[in-house]
Amino acid sequence: MTSEENPLIHGILEDARKKAEEIVSKAEKDAAAVISEGEKRAEKEKSSAEKSYALRLEQIRLREESAKRNIDRLSELKNLDSSYKEIMAEVRSRIERRIGEPDFSNVLVDWIAEAAIGLDRKEAKVAFSIKTPVTEDMLRSAEKKVYDLTGAEVHLTIDPVRISGEGVMLSSIDGKVSYNNQLEVRIRRYQRDIKRIVQEENARENSR
């Protein structure tokens, strides 16, 4: 009798075969589960990596756009600053040329009247520079202009003190309050308006 014909041995071998099949089947299932889990994890990691990559690309794009806007803005500011300086230089040049003309006294009369109205005193003394002299006749003309514009009577006298800048400066008789209408001060007074005009013109040119 062979070992396979022996019922006891046959039973043991059959149990061993079944056990081996169960072990193989379980191992195959475990392997399939591990592979499936690995594939899911790999797909998840791939999706996460793709999202992270897309996010980094978007961040880079936004930084590039921000950098470009900053460069464009700096360029625009430089152009505005250059245009502003050019215009201001031209303004000064034109006024300086006007100062040498005979009828500039009429401009000074207007500046004196403007300062007198701004000072708002019944009496005031008028200081001027050597380049922009003021006469008694000019004071009388300025007094009349103030009266015509406001109805107020003001008496103006020449201040013996000379100022350095072209234009005039009016002060109260006691010298406690004054109104500066020198050329540089007047230019500074209109700087904001001039800058606004330059910006508007620059924006209009860029939109064409």
Side-chain angles (χ1 to χ4, degrees):
M1 178 183 296
T2 64
S3 59
E4 291 185 359
E5 292 174 345
N6 187 316
L8 178 60
I9 294 174
H10 180 75
I12 291 172
L13 291 173
E14 185 65 22
D15 287 343
R17 184 182 62 77
K18 288 180 179 179
K19 190 68 174 176
E21 288 178 353
E22 289 176 359
I23 291 172
V24 171
S25 176
K26 185 177 183 304
E28 289 176 346
K29 289 180 180 178
D30 289 346
V34 170
I35 292 172
S36 177
E37 183 64 26
E39 289 176 346
K40 289 180 181 178
R41 186 163 53 251
E43 186 64 29
K44 185 177 180 180
E45 290 176 354
K46 178 185 175 183
S47 176
S48 177
E50 289 176 347
K51 289 180 180 178
S52 178
Y53 179 68
L55 179 60
R56 285 198 295 271
L57 284 179
E58 180 64 12
Q59 289 173 338
I60 291 171
R61 185 186 67 80
L62 291 174
R63 282 198 295 268
E64 288 178 345
E65 287 185 355
S66 177
K68 184 178 183 301
R69 285 196 299 270
N70 288 337
I71 291 172
D72 291 344
R73 180 59 179 163
L74 285 174
S75 177
E76 181 183 352
L77 288 174
K78 286 182 179 179
N79 289 336
L80 286 174
D81 186 59
S82 177
S83 298
Y84 172 74
K85 287 180 178 177
E86 185 178 340
I87 288 173
M88 293 305 293
E90 179 63 22
V91 168
R92 285 186 175 87
S93 177
R94 291 190 180 188
I95 294 177
E96 286 172 359
R97 288 198 299 270
R98 282 279 286 126
I99 288 175
E101 296 175 359
D103 64 342
F104 188 73
S105 59
N106 296 329
V107 176
L108 282 176
V109 168
D110 291 338
W111 289 7
I112 294 168
E114 179 186 53
I117 293 171
L119 189 64
D120 193 23
R121 291 290 189 277
K122 290 184 177 181
E123 292 184 86
K125 49 188 178 180
V126 182
F128 54 86
S129 72
I130 295 174
K131 289 184 178 180
T132 52
V134 174
T135 65
E136 291 288 344
D137 287 342
M138 291 167 65
L139 295 184
R140 303 292 82 78
S141 296
E143 290 171 353
K144 182 177 184 305
K145 188 174 285 290
V146 171
Y147 182 80
D148 291 341
L149 290 172
T150 67
E153 293 185 357
V154 60
H155 179 64
L156 302 174
T157 58
I158 291 178
D159 192 332
V161 177
R162 295 291 171 263
I163 55 178
S164 58
E166 295 89 342
V168 295
M169 179 183 289
L170 270 68
S171 304
S172 58
I173 299 302
D174 58 12
K176 291 183 178 180
V177 291
S178 61
Y179 190 103
N180 194 334
N181 232 359
Q182 295 181 76
L183 174 58
E184 285 301 319
V185 174
R186 288 183 61 83
I187 289 176
R188 285 199 299 271
R189 203 173 288 155
Y190 293 104
Q191 275 182 338
R192 181 177 298 179
D193 291 335
I194 294 173
K195 284 183 177 179
R196 177 180 54 78
I197 293 170
V198 171
Q199 289 174 341
E200 290 174 354
E201 287 298 321
N202 187 71
R204 192 176 293 112
E205 285 295 325
N206 291 336
S207 64
R208 290 178 181 174

